[in-house]
């Protein structure tokens, strides 16, 4: 377990390193980095500050070392959109909102995918199984930026059940969370279904039934606990998709999170903020994957004791 | 009579064909007795055992006929809810493979607790724990207090099978069905396990149905034996009588294929040919295609049951050859 | 003579019947939708579109669809600049096809090549390729797109490049596994004994065997690419304005959703119908051609 964790930690560092290289490389892809990194209308003092912060007059490898040093210290420079505001600070101010949305979306996805997945396996080829397959197909195919707008039109504009956009009450959370979570439902449900089918076919399920255990407990304790191990490995990827999904969805619903921040920053060519968001997102995703790996051990005693 | 099974039929309905996995099986079991059910894999013995508990493999499998009287009550007519109160409490079962029959993510203690709790033994919390430790001790597990917190993968194969055995006897059932409980264990552990079952039976008086493909084990464990071939019981009788005077050619072949103690070989049966393919429509004797004595009638018509073979009222066999009195084994 | 005839008669119907069975089982509805929404408009856009997709008259702005009481000349209504939405959707299909086609072709070629090399030669090449695949798949492509857009601006070429960047890894992973399997097969061993070059073995013996996998994989990627390009364009980091990319049109309609829902609705519907159909076709192909292919 410990050796495994150390190995995973190594991979994590490698991924983060690669992200910094990509961001660094892209920032300096064409000729004069100062013009690339700065909007044309940027003020002279901003330009000078960036030149100094990133050492843009130095050779490339020195620039990278300097860059990595700045990233490690969390210094991405000031935002160009909002002069005087530190880029990382802007991100950290909003990351809570994004995580809040992501967490609710995750809960929604699990709350929907687990029962559908379990029942599709228990009642294979029944109506619920077909409904589940249809949900999975829709989940793969619907563009979520569009579904969000359709939801707004139906539930906010016409029915007036929910607020159109923004953050505030719990009602504000419903539509964006459903839109983001919807896409996870499809994949998660399918994983749970196939894992449950395998689990239900096993000898330990037979033995549990032979013990006279109630069918409810056979399914929800014995079968699901084993079947849950497989989808758990998917959670890392799922969190990445939640982060990604949050970008378009935050724009659709004007949710004041990191996604909306970064899209606005791109439009304003506010490169320090874009960099800060990218690094923070990469960090969150990588960290989530690491946590999932640890959880994996907790859920599966066979790994825990290795 | 503890259990009396009459003309039990369980068919598997697959897309391609109907497989008559259990095709009219009758037998009985008395208190404290061990009945062996012998046959090659695929002869329907496991499906037969599961059918008694209404656990035939669903959705393909369905019990289509017969009755199974447990203390005079037909098990096959009970609802799933009623069956649940019988499974584990009155009739329990030990499965073949201890490696896979314990749930890998729960502790031994947890899985045993469940057996007691669903058994509604009227035990308080502390009582359950004590009962779990007691039953583990009964199946010769050393240091049971510590083992209750262990996960299955931390135990050896033999130990796991003893835990499965402990689950089976936890509610003091009337019948234990053991479905090839020792096939996956090595020979020394196998012998230990068989001695354990024997001892538990002696102390509790439980009726045991012992399913195996090994006539050697039957000789050691059983009082009576039923030989199953392609969904039918072809010969039945007291162990001694069957060993001395096997009347069905299949039984004879099975007994001949038991490796002698002195020449212990890894080779199993050497009966020529294959058992009938599942779903194959069969008229006549199931064994005819592989039988050296078979004639046209064997292939056309299923033989009647001949009783009182070797002058033993309980010894029966289904074989046309027994029509001729000279073929009927007699006791000398 | 009679024998030859007999065998011809014997072989003819079976092959024809097989082909007929294939045809009869074709998922007709998805194929029809793909043709009507994506392929035919892309080919005949100039003839089908009743209006100029790039310019409209401000006097005709925000007109509802014809069937909801709008002017009869605008079937699906007009947007905030008075452009005909129906015409824009028709021209937009070209962008979707172009991005999907170019992205899959480039990403698929690179990924297949690297996957073949990794699976056939093993060793260092395999280690490097698998590491890069893991890395690529662990970084969300949309983040890369945002950085690219911020650094060098979004264009058709950057969108294709980003699509290719994601897809190569998907192809490489799948092809490597297949190549690994075929490289150990008997006929590859025989070809090697016969003195065939590595290049010849890969191209003549391994590649044809993974053709089915590539077809299925590519079909399943079309839907992903169309949604992905749509998302990028929607965020303003994909196809630039005033191109009639479907995702961009949805973005244009977002702020008008209260007063003119049709601006966002119909382009999104086009995306949904296309992607749903392509995915159904892909699932169908997978069941027929390559049932082993895991969900990708």
């Amino acid at each position: 377990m410990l050796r495994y964790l150390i190995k995973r930690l190594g991979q994590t560092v490698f991924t983060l390193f690669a992200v910094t290289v990509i961001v660094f490389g892209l920032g300096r892809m064409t000729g004069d980095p100062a013009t690339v990194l700065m909007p044309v209308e940027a003020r002279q003092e901003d330009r000078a500050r960036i030149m100094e912060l990133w050492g843009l007059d130095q050779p490339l490898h020195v620039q990278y070392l300097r860059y990595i040093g700045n990233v490690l210290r969390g210094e991405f420079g000031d935002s160009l959109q909002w002069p005087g505001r530190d880029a990382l600070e802007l991100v950290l101010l909003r990351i809570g909102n994004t995580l809040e949305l992501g967490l609710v979306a995750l809960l929604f996805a699990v709350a929907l995918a687990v029962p559908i997945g379990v029942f599709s396996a228990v009642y294979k080829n029944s109506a619920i199984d077909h409904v589940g397959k249809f949900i999975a197909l829709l989940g793969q195919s619907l563009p979520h930026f569009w579904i969000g707008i359709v939801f707004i039109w139906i539930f906010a504009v016409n029915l007036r059940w929910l607020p159109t956009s923004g953050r505030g009450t719990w009602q504000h959370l419903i539509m964006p969370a459903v839109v983001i979570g919807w896409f996870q439902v499809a994949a998660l449900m399918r994983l749970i279904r196939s894992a449950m089918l395998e689990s239900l076919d096993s000898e330990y399920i037979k033995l549990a039934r032979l013990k006279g255990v109630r069918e409810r407990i056979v399914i929800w304790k014995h079968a699901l606990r084993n079947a849950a191990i497989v989808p758990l490995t998917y959670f890392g990827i799922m969190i990445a998709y939640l982060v990604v999904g949050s970008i378009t969805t935050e724009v659709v619903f004007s949710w004041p999170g990191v996604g909306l921040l970064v899209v606005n920053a791109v439009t304003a060519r506010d490169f320090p903020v874009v960099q800060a968001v990218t690094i923070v997102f990469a960090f969150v995703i990588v960290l989530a994957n690491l946590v999932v790996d640890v959880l994996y051990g907790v859920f599966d005693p066979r790994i825990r004791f290795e | 009579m503890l259990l009396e099974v009459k003309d039990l039929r369980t068919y598997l309905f697959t897309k391609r064909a109907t497989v008559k996995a259990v095709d009219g099986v009758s037998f009985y079991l008395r208190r404290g007795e061990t009945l062996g059910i012998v046959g090659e894999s695929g002869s329907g013995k496991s499906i037969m055992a599961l059918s008694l508990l209404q656990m035939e493999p669903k959705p393909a499998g369905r019990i289509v006929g017969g009755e199974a009287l447990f203390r005079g009550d037909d098990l096959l007519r009970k609802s799933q809810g009623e069956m649940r109160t019988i499974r584990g409490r009155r009739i329990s079962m030990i499965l073949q493979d201890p490696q896979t029959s314990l749930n890998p993510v729960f502790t031994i203690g947890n899985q045993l607790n469940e057996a007691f709790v669903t058994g509604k033994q009227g035990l308080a919390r502390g009582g359950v724990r004590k009962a779990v430790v007691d039953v583990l001790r009964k199946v010769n597990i050393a240091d049971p207090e510590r083992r209750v917190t262990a996960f299955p993968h931390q135990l050896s194969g033999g130990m796991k099978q003893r835990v499965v055995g402990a689950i089976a006897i936890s509610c003091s059932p009337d019948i234990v069905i053991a479905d090839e409980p020792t096939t996956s264990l090595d020979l020394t552990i196998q012998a230990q396990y068989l001695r354990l079952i024997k001892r538990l039976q002696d102390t509790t008086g439980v009726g045991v149905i012992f399913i195996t493909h090994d006539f050697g084990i039957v000789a050691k464990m059983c009082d009576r034996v039923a030989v199953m071939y392609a969904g039918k019981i072809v010969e039945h009788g007291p162990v001694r009588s069957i060993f001395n005077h096997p009347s069905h050619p299949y039984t004879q072949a099975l007994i001949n294929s038991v490796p002698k103690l002195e020449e212990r070989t890894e080779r199993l049966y050497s009966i020529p040919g294959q058992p009938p393919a599942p779903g194959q429509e069969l008229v006549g004797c199931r064994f005819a295609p592989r039988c050296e004595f078979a004639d046209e009638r064997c292939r056309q018509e299923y033989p009647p049951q001949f009783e009182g073979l070797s002058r033993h009222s309980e010894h029966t066999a289904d074989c046309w050859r027994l029509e001729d009195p000279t073929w009927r084994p007699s006791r000398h | 003579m009679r024998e030859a005839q007999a065998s011809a008669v014997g072989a003819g119907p079976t092959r024809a019947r097989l082909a007929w069975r294939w045809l009869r089982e074709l998922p007709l509805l998805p194929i029809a939708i793909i043709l009507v929404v994506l392929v035919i408009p892309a080919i005949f856009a100039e003839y089908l579109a009743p209006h100029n997709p790039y310019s409209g008259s401000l006097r005709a702005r925000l007109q509802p669809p014809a069937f909801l009481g709008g002017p009869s000349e605008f079937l699906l209504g007009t947007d905030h600049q008075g452009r005909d939405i129906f015409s824009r959707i028709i021209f937009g299909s070209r962008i979707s096809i172009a991005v999907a086609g170019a992205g899959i072709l480039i990403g698929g070629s690179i990924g297949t090549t690297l996957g073949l090399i990794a699976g056939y030669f093993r060793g260092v090449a395999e280690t490097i390729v698998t590491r890069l695949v893991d890395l690529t798949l662990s970084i969300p492509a949309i983040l890369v797109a945002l950085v690219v857009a911020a650094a060098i601006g979004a264009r058709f070429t950057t969108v294709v490049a980003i699509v290719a960047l994601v897809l190569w890894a998907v192809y490489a992973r799948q092809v490597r596994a297949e190549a690994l399997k075929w490289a150990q097969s008997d006929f590859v061993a025989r070809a090697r004994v016969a003195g065939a070059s590595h290049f010849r073995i890969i191209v003549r013996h391994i590649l044809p065997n993974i053709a089915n996998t590539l077809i299925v994989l590519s079909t399943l990627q079309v839907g992903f690419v169309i949604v992905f390009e749509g998302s990028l364009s929607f965020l303003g980091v994909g196809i630039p304005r005033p191109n009639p990319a479907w995702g961009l049109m949805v973005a244009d309609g977002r702020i008008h959703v209260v007063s003119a829902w049709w601006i966002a609705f119909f382009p999104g519907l086009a995306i949904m119908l296309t992607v749903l159909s392509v995915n159904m076709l892909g699932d169908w192909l997978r069941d027929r051609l390559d049932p082993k292919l895991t969900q990708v």
Side-chain angles (χ1 to χ4, degrees):
Chain A
M1 188 74 193
L2 194 69
R3 268 182 58 193
Y4 171 71
L5 272 185
I6 289 170
K7 198 182 146 210
R8 284 291 292 108
L9 216 60
Q11 284 171 0
T12 305
V13 172
F14 178 67
T15 309
L16 284 175
F17 167 75
V19 171
T20 62
V21 170
I22 292 171
V23 174
F24 174 81
L26 281 171
R28 285 151 185 77
M29 248 175 89
T30 45
D32 174 18
T35 47
V36 172
L37 298 184
M38 308 286 286
V40 207
E41 67 277 10
R43 294 169 307 167
Q44 199 53 45
E45 61 250 47
D46 282 334
R47 204 170 278 264
R49 198 140 22 90
I50 287 285
M51 290 288 278
E52 197 223 302
L53 181 66
W54 305 110
L56 292 180
D57 47 353
Q58 307 278 318
L60 215 57
H61 64 278
V62 179
Q63 282 188 36
Y64 179 72
L65 285 180
R66 185 124 171 211
Y67 166 83
I68 246 323
N70 287 335
V71 167
L72 284 177
R73 281 195 304 273
E75 287 176 20
F76 294 89
D78 284 354
S79 160
L80 305 174
Q81 249 176 307
W82 296 289
R85 301 291 299 273
D86 181 62
L88 185 65
E89 186 199 312
L90 285 172
V91 175
L92 295 180
L93 268 176
R94 285 165 177 77
I95 190 112
N97 293 351
T98 296
L99 292 180
E100 174 189 82
L101 184 57
L103 198 70
V104 176
L106 185 71
L107 287 178
F108 166 75
V110 171
L112 202 63
V114 170
I116 298 181
V118 167
F119 283 121
S120 322
V122 173
Y123 305 105
K124 200 179 152 195
N125 290 328
S126 69
I128 189 155
D129 193 13
H130 293 300
V131 168
K133 273 182 190 153
F134 184 68
I135 290 178
L137 189 66
L138 277 188
Q140 279 180 338
S141 310
L142 296 179
H144 39 343
F145 52 93
W146 178 68
I147 266 298
I149 293 173
V150 172
F151 274 13
I152 291 179
W153 185 65
I154 297 175
F155 297 108
V157 176
N158 282 317
L159 298 174
R160 295 176 185 280
W161 288 351
L162 295 164
T164 49
S165 59
R167 180 173 172 271
T169 60
W170 59 269
Q171 285 104 323
H172 285 88
L173 262 167
I174 294 178
M175 284 197 293
V178 167
V179 168
I180 298 177
W182 182 260
F183 292 83
Q184 304 314 314
V185 170
L188 193 58
M189 189 198 77
R190 256 208 302 240
L191 282 172
I192 289 175
R193 178 179 180 272
S194 62
M196 276 297 284
L197 280 177
E198 197 180 310
S199 183
L200 281 171
D201 200 35
S202 68
E203 289 290 294
Y204 54 78
I205 291 301
K206 208 197 259 179
L207 185 71
R209 287 189 177 131
L210 284 169
K211 273 194 284 190
V213 173
R214 279 170 200 284
E215 193 61 19
R216 210 177 56 227
I217 296 174
V218 169
I219 291 167
W220 294 98
K221 179 185 167 186
H222 287 265
L224 184 59
R225 178 61 195 274
N226 277 278
I229 294 169
V230 183
L232 201 66
T233 52
Y234 174 76
F235 258 60
I237 302 169
M238 193 161 156
I239 285 158
Y241 280 113
L242 285 173
V243 167
V244 171
S246 74
I247 297 176
T248 47
T249 311
E250 283 180 10
V251 170
V252 170
F253 293 97
S254 304
W255 184 265
V258 182
L260 190 61
L261 174 75
V262 70
V263 172
N264 287 336
V266 169
T267 317
R269 303 211 60 192
D270 189 350
F271 204 71
V273 171
V274 176
Q275 281 197 82
V277 171
T278 312
I279 302 280
V280 167
F281 266 171
F283 188 75
V284 167
I285 289 167
V286 161
L287 200 71
N289 272 299
L290 205 62
V291 170
V292 165
D293 283 333
V294 177
L295 276 182
Y296 193 76
V298 174
F299 261 75
D300 191 343
R302 282 163 297 188
I303 292 181
R304 197 189 318 162
F305 291 97
E306 247 162 35
Chain B
M1 201 63 71
L2 196 55
L3 178 73
E4 201 170 359
V5 176
K6 292 178 190 162
D7 199 33
L8 174 66
R9 287 168 197 274
T10 304
Y11 295 173
L12 305 177
F13 297 90
T14 65
K15 263 185 205 152
R16 282 206 210 114
T18 300
V19 183
K20 297 180 176 177
V22 181
D23 193 11
V25 163
S26 304
F27 64 88
Y28 51 86
L29 180 72
R30 301 186 190 92
R31 251 190 78 79
E33 186 188 40
T34 303
L35 170 70
I37 294 189
V38 195
E40 287 165 285
S41 53
S43 59
K45 41 195 204 313
S46 294
I47 293 180
M48 189 273 291
L50 289 168
S51 300
L52 295 179
L53 291 161
Q54 288 195 29
M55 292 257 303
E56 70 280 6
K58 281 160 191 139
R62 210 187 319 144
I63 299 169
V64 293
E67 46 187 18
L69 302 174
F70 173 62
R71 295 166 177 267
D73 237 6
D74 191 355
L75 292 173
L76 306 184
R77 281 181 215 295
K78 291 197 182 296
S79 69
Q80 282 294 330
E82 289 170 317
M83 280 317 289
R84 209 172 47 71
T85 65
I86 289 171
R87 289 179 203 140
R89 277 188 243 181
R90 314 298 302 275
I91 304 176
S92 61
M93 192 159 164
I94 299 170
L95 294 171
Q96 212 174 99
D97 186 0
Q99 305 299 335
T100 55
S101 50
L102 289 172
N103 196 327
V105 299
F106 297 112
T107 59
I108 304 304
N110 187 329
Q111 300 188 50
L112 268 160
N113 269 341
E114 222 171 32
F116 281 106
V117 172
T118 54
K120 292 212 177 60
Q121 299 285 292
L123 295 168
R125 266 193 94 119
V128 174
R129 186 171 173 87
K130 192 178 165 295
V132 166
V133 171
D134 281 349
V135 76
L136 282 176
R137 194 169 282 127
K138 252 191 224 166
V139 295
N140 291 342
I141 283 182
D143 202 359
E145 287 88 353
R146 217 161 50 86
R147 294 294 180 202
V148 291
T149 60
F151 285 95
H153 72 276
Q154 295 169 304
L155 305 180
S156 69
M159 214 148 24
K160 270 185 243 185
Q161 192 60 315
R162 272 179 279 158
V163 171
V164 174
I167 289 173
I169 61 166
S170 57
C171 298
S172 325
D174 299 312
I175 301 174
V176 171
I177 304 173
D179 185 1
E180 310 226 19
T182 58
T183 31
S184 62
L185 305 178
D186 72 55
L187 286 174
T188 341
I189 310 288
Q190 205 172 71
Q192 268 179 28
Y193 195 77
L194 293 175
R195 274 202 299 277
L196 176 71
I197 293 183
K198 202 84 196 135
R199 207 196 64 224
L200 288 172
Q201 189 180 17
D202 289 344
T203 53
T204 58
V206 63
V208 175
I209 298 177
F210 203 100
I211 298 175
T212 177
H213 61 266
D214 186 347
F215 245 110
I217 291 179
V218 170
K220 268 181 252 165
M221 299 292 296
C222 303
D223 303 310
R224 277 183 303 118
V225 58
V227 180
M228 225 172 142
Y229 187 80
K232 282 188 174 295
I233 289 181
V234 295
E235 183 162 4
H236 161 261
V239 166
R240 181 161 293 272
S241 175
I242 296 249
F243 259 91
N244 292 338
H245 305 290
S247 304
H248 197 285
Y250 179 61
T251 316
Q252 289 164 359
L254 275 185
I255 290 175
N256 287 337
S257 66
V258 174
K260 303 283 180 298
L261 208 65
E262 52 272 19
E263 38 169 320
R264 186 165 271 170
T265 49
E266 289 297 303
R267 208 156 43 88
L268 282 170
Y269 313 115
S270 50
I271 306 171
Q274 294 288 318
Q280 193 181 326
E281 192 50 51
L282 296 157
V283 287
C285 175
R286 273 44 170 170
F287 190 60
R290 296 168 79 183
C291 179
E292 53 179 312
F293 307 105
D295 57 20
E296 201 44 42
R297 182 167 56 162
C298 295
R299 280 183 272 272
Q300 294 303 326
E301 207 177 328
Y302 192 81
Q305 191 178 65
F306 291 90
E307 292 175 351
L309 304 170
S310 61
R311 297 208 191 102
H312 201 296
S313 62
E314 285 187 311
H315 191 162
T316 64
D318 301 358
C319 179
W320 280 115
R321 203 170 52 140
L322 300 171
E323 236 180 2
D324 177 355
T326 56
W327 282 107
R328 285 186 214 163
S330 53
R331 231 181 331 197
H332 301 291
Chain C
M1 183 61 202
R2 261 176 61 198
E3 267 176 35
Q5 227 172 2
S7 76
V9 169
T14 30
R15 185 174 291 174
R17 207 181 305 146
L18 268 179
W20 171 239
R21 195 184 302 161
W22 247 80
L23 277 178
R24 224 182 24 191
E25 286 179 4
L26 274 181
L28 290 178
L29 186 67
I31 289 177
I33 292 175
I34 293 168
L35 287 177
V36 170
V37 181
L38 191 68
V39 179
I40 295 174
I43 299 173
F44 302 107
E46 284 85 359
Y47 306 98
L48 292 173
H51 294 273
N52 184 332
Y54 294 99
S55 65
S57 120
L58 283 180
R59 260 174 303 143
R61 59 203 291 265
L62 301 179
Q63 294 292 341
F67 54 86
L68 289 176
S72 60
E73 54 179 319
F74 304 118
L75 183 63
L76 302 178
T78 61
D79 67 6
H80 57 294
Q81 294 184 21
R83 294 173 297 194
D84 177 38
I85 291 173
F86 182 59
S87 305
R88 281 175 69 75
I89 290 178
I90 289 177
F91 274 90
S93 63
R94 285 189 172 169
I95 295 171
S96 294
I97 285 196
V99 172
I104 289 173
L105 206 65
I106 297 170
S109 312
I110 297 172
T112 305
T113 310
L114 290 179
L116 283 169
I117 291 172
Y120 181 80
F121 293 107
R122 317 285 313 264
V124 192
E126 188 181 28
T127 314
I128 294 173
V129 170
T130 43
R131 272 291 135 71
L132 283 178
V133 166
D134 288 345
L135 177 68
T136 311
L137 294 177
S138 67
I139 303 172
I142 212 159
L143 285 184
V144 180
L146 288 168
V147 179
V148 169
I152 54 181
R155 291 187 283 279
F156 177 79
T157 44
T158 60
V159 174
V160 171
I162 291 163
V163 168
L165 181 76
V166 194
L167 288 191
W168 86 266
V170 175
Y171 278 85
R173 190 177 52 177
Q174 202 75 44
V175 169
R176 184 197 73 98
E178 290 271 310
L180 206 64
K181 190 181 75 191
W182 292 111
Q184 288 154 357
S185 67
D186 288 345
F187 59 84
V188 166
R190 276 200 298 276
R192 209 170 278 158
V193 172
S197 68
H198 291 314
F199 181 77
R200 195 183 154 81
I201 291 175
I202 292 176
V203 174
R204 296 294 298 272
H205 295 280
I206 296 180
L207 200 54
N209 277 302
I210 59 175
N212 279 356
T213 303
L214 291 177
I215 291 171
V216 176
L217 201 56
S218 302
T219 315
L220 289 170
Q221 296 314 312
V222 172
F224 161 76
V225 175
I226 290 177
V227 170
F228 184 65
E229 179 263 311
S231 307
L232 295 189
S233 300
F234 174 80
L235 293 176
V237 299
I239 306 295
R241 281 171 227 273
N243 287 301
W246 291 344
L248 258 183
M249 298 171 69
V250 176
D252 285 340
R254 188 178 75 84
I255 41 173
H256 297 285
V257 67
V258 179
S259 55
W261 55 270
W262 52 88
I263 304 178
F265 182 77
F266 291 111
L269 191 68
I271 298 180
M272 189 196 91
L273 286 176
T274 316
V275 173
L276 199 63
S277 308
V278 175
N279 283 344
M280 282 166 79
L281 183 65
D283 283 346
W284 182 83
L285 280 172
R286 176 176 51 204
D287 292 347
R288 294 296 178 294
L289 295 177
D290 194 2
K292 306 174 303 296
L293 188 65
T294 44
Q295 204 56 50
V296 280

